[in-house]
Amino acid sequence: MSQVLSNSGRPVGPPRRDLIHLDRQHGLMLYQHCVVGACPARHPDGRHLYVVAPDEHLPDGRVRTARPPVRSAHAADYARTVPGHQAVLARSPAPSGVLGRLFEATATGDLRAREDGAERYVAYSDHDTLRWTLTSQLVRDLNDCELVDDLDPRSEPSRHARRLRLGPPLTRREGRQPVMTTPLPERTLLPGPPYGNVRNALRELLVIERSAPGASTAVAPTPAQLTDLAGQWVKAAHTCAADMGSVTQRARWQTMITAVETRQDAHASAGTDVPALCTALRDLLLAMLEYSRLEPPVTGISDYLRSRIADGTCPPGSPLGVARIAAELRLAPVSAVRVKLALADLEAEGVVESTSNGIRVTGTPAGRMERSVQVAQWLRTLIRKGVYPPGSALPRVADLARPLVTPIPVISSAVALLDDEGTVRSGLGVRAVVVQDPGFAVAAPLDLTTVDRRLTLAGWAGSDTSPQRVRETCRRARSWWHHRIAPAPGRVSHTHRTLTSMAARLIPAAHAHHQPHQAEATMRRAAVTALTPQPEVPQEQLWRTACLAAAVLELQELAGDAA
C-alpha cells in the first residue's frame, strides 16, 4: 500500500510492502496466502516461508509474527523492501492470538482504552482479556524454524538448485538446543553407472523392443544386440547390489536380476521370449536409473527414521506415511521408493509394523502403562466414582469396547486384572460383577438432576452444541486417537471442554427420556469422564478425550429428538 495520495484521493507512488490493510492481513494470515500475490504460499514440504523482524523471535526458539507468508518466487523482491528482516521456513498449526487495543468499562457504562491505548498481543487462551480487545491483526507462532540463506533463484546454475538453501535450525543464542534434533540424511551419489549412461541404455532398449515381435507370447532367437545389452547391465547390477547396505533393496534387485537372467538364454533351441526379456531388462534399468540419482541412500533414510523413533519424535503407534516422509526429506517423486525400502528394513527389524491403516511405529514407550493396565485403572475409577457401584454388573466386554475405544481383547485382559485383584468377580460367559468390598472407598452415584451445572462450569460457555457440531467434534476426537495424531498444543484440552459442554446439554435431555439403570450408568460415565482431571501423558489425554466423545455420541442417541 502507499501513503501518498493524488489530488483525487487515490494512492500513488511505489508500494510500501511493510504496510498492509487490516482486512487483507486477516485473510492472508488465516489462509496462509502470499503477501505479494495473495495465492497459496505452501512450500513442497508443508511449511511456509516468512520474512520476519529480529524482535519477533521468542526465547524458546519460536517466532511470533503478524506478517503473512510469501511465496519463494516473490521472496527475494519482497525481502529487499523490508531490510534488516530474516527469512525463515516454518510450520504454524493455527493462529495463536491477535494484536489489538484493550478497553474497559467506565462507571457510566461507556468504553475507554485501557493503559496507554497501544496495541499488544493477546493469546486466544486468555479469554478474559480477549473479550475486551479490539483486534486488528492475526498473529501466528512459527515452529520448526529454519533460516533461509539465499532467496534469489537466479544465482543458481540449474533448476535442481533453485530450491531454497537452508541454513542451520533457527536459535536465539548460541548453546540453545535446536528445534530439529535429527539432521536430514545427506544426498550422495552411490557408486554405479552414471545417470546418462543408464538413460542411453533405456533408449537403446526401446529401439530393440520396437523391432521385436509384438505379441507377448512370441518366441524367437534373441537378437545379438539385446544379448550384449542385457549381459552388460546385469553385470553392472550385480556390482551395485553387492555394495548395498539395505537388505530389502538388495533382495529387490536380486529378483529383477534373476528375472533377466532366466530369459537371457540365447542358446535355447526353442528360442527366447523377446518381449518378456525386454520388459524384465527395462524394469532393471529403471531401478538403476533411480539408483543413480543424487538422493539420500536407503540406509541413510533408515537411520534417520530410526533416530526419530528413538528420540520420541515418532512415538509408538504414530503413522509413518511414505508420501509424508518423502516430502520431509525433499525427495523427488520417483525416489519415494527408497522410503518404502527403508520402512521394509525397519519392519524386518521389528521397529515398525504394517497394519490395515498403514505402517506404524511398534513398541511401548518407557514409563507408559500397558493398554490393559490403563483400561483396568480407568474401570477402577468408574467404580470408585459410583458409575458401577458394588453389587452391580459391568457391561459385557463387547459393549465396553465402543465407549472405551479399545479392542475387545484388551478389555478382556483389563477385566481379568480386576478379577485377579478382587475388585470384580467374573467367569466364562458371565458378566463381571463388582464385589461388595472392592478394597477402596466408593462414592455415591452422581445426581443426574444437578450434574449438568458442574459440567457447564467445567466446559466452554457459549459452545455450539448443535447435533451437527456434536457429531463433527466427536468424529475429530476419535480420529485423533485411532490414527494417533498429535494435535496442536491446547487443542486436546479445548476439545475436551467443548465435549463437556455438549454433555451438560445432552444429559438432562437424555434423563428426561430414559431412566433405566443402564441408561443412567451411561450418563454417569459421561459425566465422570468429563469431570475427572486429564492425565499428564499426551497419549492418555487423547484416549480419555476419545472416550468422552464416544460417551457424548451415546448421550445424543439417548436424547433422540430432544438433542
Side-chain angles (χ1 to χ4, degrees):
M1 60 183 296
S2 172
Q3 289 186 312
V4 180
L5 301 180
S6 64
N7 294 333
S8 61
R10 302 183 63 181
V12 295
R16 290 284 306 277
R17 290 181 176 173
D18 56 330
L19 303 177
I20 185 172
H21 193 275
L22 299 183
D23 288 342
R24 179 181 173 89
Q25 190 272 349
H26 179 273
L28 297 180
M29 285 294 282
L30 182 63
Y31 299 106
Q32 290 186 293
H33 284 184
C34 177
V35 65
V36 178
C39 52
R42 183 183 177 89
H43 200 258
D45 63 356
R47 294 181 292 177
H48 292 79
L49 181 66
Y50 289 84
V51 179
V52 300
D55 58 353
E56 293 177 333
H57 297 271
L58 299 179
D60 58 1
R62 295 178 299 158
V63 175
R64 178 169 294 162
T65 182
R67 301 175 185 272
V70 60
R71 288 192 66 183
S72 56
H74 304 149
D77 293 335
Y78 178 74
R80 281 191 282 269
T81 64
V82 284
H85 288 52
Q86 294 177 320
V88 296
L89 269 175
R91 302 185 188 276
S92 177
S96 61
V98 295
L99 286 178
R101 299 176 59 189
L102 301 185
F103 284 78
E104 60 184 359
T106 62
T108 59
D110 298 329
L111 292 178
R112 66 181 178 187
R114 192 187 305 179
E115 300 172 352
D116 58 354
E119 288 191 344
R120 52 165 289 189
Y121 170 75
V122 180
Y124 280 137
S125 57
D126 189 358
H127 301 282
D128 294 336
T129 306
L130 190 63
R131 60 195 296 262
W132 293 100
T133 304
L134 179 62
T135 63
S136 60
Q137 300 182 66
L138 283 180
V139 178
R140 285 183 177 269
D141 286 353
L142 310 182
N143 306 319
D144 297 346
C145 299
E146 292 186 66
L147 284 173
V148 178
D149 296 333
D150 189 2
L151 295 174
D152 193 353
R154 293 174 296 181
S155 62
E156 302 294 345
S158 66
R159 65 181 180 89
H160 296 290
R162 291 183 183 178
R163 300 175 182 174
L164 297 175
R165 295 205 302 264
L166 302 180
L170 181 63
T171 55
R172 281 291 292 156
R173 55 181 180 269
E174 187 175 358
R176 181 176 295 277
Q177 293 294 330
V179 177
M180 296 291 293
T181 58
T182 306
L184 297 178
E186 295 183 0
R187 300 173 183 269
T188 56
L189 279 177
L190 300 174
Y195 185 90
N197 293 358
V198 184
R199 186 175 55 186
N200 292 336
L202 278 169
R203 292 173 178 172
E204 184 179 354
L205 176 63
L206 179 61
V207 174
I208 299 174
E209 194 172 8
R210 287 176 177 175
S211 62
S216 60
T217 58
V219 176
T222 306
Q225 187 179 7
L226 179 59
T227 302
D228 295 340
L229 185 66
Q232 172 188 353
W233 289 102
V234 164
K235 182 179 179 180
H238 274 297
T239 304
C240 294
D243 296 333
M244 292 178 181
S246 169
V247 177
T248 306
Q249 187 181 26
R250 191 185 310 117
R252 176 173 177 262
W253 276 53
Q254 290 294 347
T255 302
M256 292 186 292
I257 293 173
T258 303
V260 176
E261 291 177 337
T262 54
R263 296 172 173 84
Q264 194 184 356
D265 188 3
H267 304 288
S269 58
T272 303
D273 188 353
V274 176
L277 176 58
C278 292
T279 301
L281 182 57
R282 182 175 64 251
D283 293 341
L284 180 61
L285 289 175
L286 288 174
M288 298 186 71
L289 190 69
E290 191 282 323
Y291 182 78
S292 61
R293 294 181 60 88
L294 181 62
E295 300 286 3
V298 175
T299 53
I301 298 175
S302 301
D303 294 339
Y304 170 75
L305 295 175
R306 197 179 291 108
S307 299
R308 289 178 66 84
I309 294 172
D311 63 16
T313 306
C314 298
S318 59
L320 295 176
V322 174
R324 181 177 180 180
I325 297 173
E328 184 177 345
L329 299 179
R330 303 164 197 160
L331 298 179
V334 70
S335 296
V337 65
R338 303 193 183 195
V339 179
K340 297 180 181 179
L341 296 173
L343 290 174
D345 287 340
L346 295 179
E347 185 176 4
E349 299 174 9
V351 180
V352 301
E353 60 181 352
S354 296
T355 65
S356 58
N357 294 325
I359 299 178
R360 297 183 180 277
V361 181
T362 59
T364 302
R368 185 178 299 174
M369 297 177 295
E370 294 287 346
R371 289 286 295 127
S372 57
V373 179
Q374 181 182 3
V375 174
Q377 180 175 346
W378 180 240
L379 288 174
R380 196 180 300 111
T381 300
L382 295 178
I383 295 172
R384 182 181 290 109
K385 297 291 186 179
V387 177
Y388 305 114
S392 64
L394 296 180
R396 295 181 303 171
V397 172
D399 296 335
L400 282 173
R402 180 188 176 189
L404 297 184
V405 202
T406 304
I408 292 178
V410 179
I411 301 290
S412 300
S413 300
V415 174
L417 290 175
L418 295 178
D419 191 6
D420 293 341
E421 69 183 26
T423 303
V424 300
R425 294 193 314 270
S426 62
L428 184 62
V430 180
R431 292 169 59 182
V433 178
V434 182
V435 299
Q436 293 296 333
D437 185 11
F440 48 80
V442 178
L446 292 175
D447 186 359
L448 295 176
T449 60
T450 59
V451 72
D452 58 311
R453 303 173 188 173
R454 296 176 57 187
L455 293 172
T456 302
L457 294 176
W460 288 115
S463 297
D464 183 5
T465 57
S466 61
Q468 179 66 22
R469 178 61 64 181
V470 169
R471 288 190 292 268
E472 291 178 358
T473 306
C474 294
R475 178 193 57 79
R476 180 173 63 249
R478 298 175 68 183
S479 177
W480 286 344
W481 170 247
H482 284 309
H483 299 287
R484 303 301 193 271
I485 298 175
R491 190 82 183 276
V492 177
S493 60
H494 182 277
T495 302
H496 191 277
R497 294 187 65 180
T498 302
L499 292 170
T500 301
S501 299
M502 295 174 178
R505 189 186 69 85
L506 291 173
I507 285 180
H511 188 250
H513 286 72
H514 300 273
Q515 294 185 355
H517 174 72
Q518 184 177 0
E520 290 185 352
T522 300
M523 301 175 205
R524 291 192 175 96
R525 173 167 47 80
V528 169
T529 307
L531 296 175
T532 302
Q534 282 277 66
E536 296 182 358
V537 180
Q539 287 294 322
E540 294 184 23
Q541 292 179 5
L542 282 180
W543 177 63
R544 190 76 63 80
T545 305
C547 292
L548 179 57
V552 170
L553 287 177
E554 290 184 89
L555 293 177
Q556 192 176 41
E557 294 177 1
L558 292 176
D561 297 337

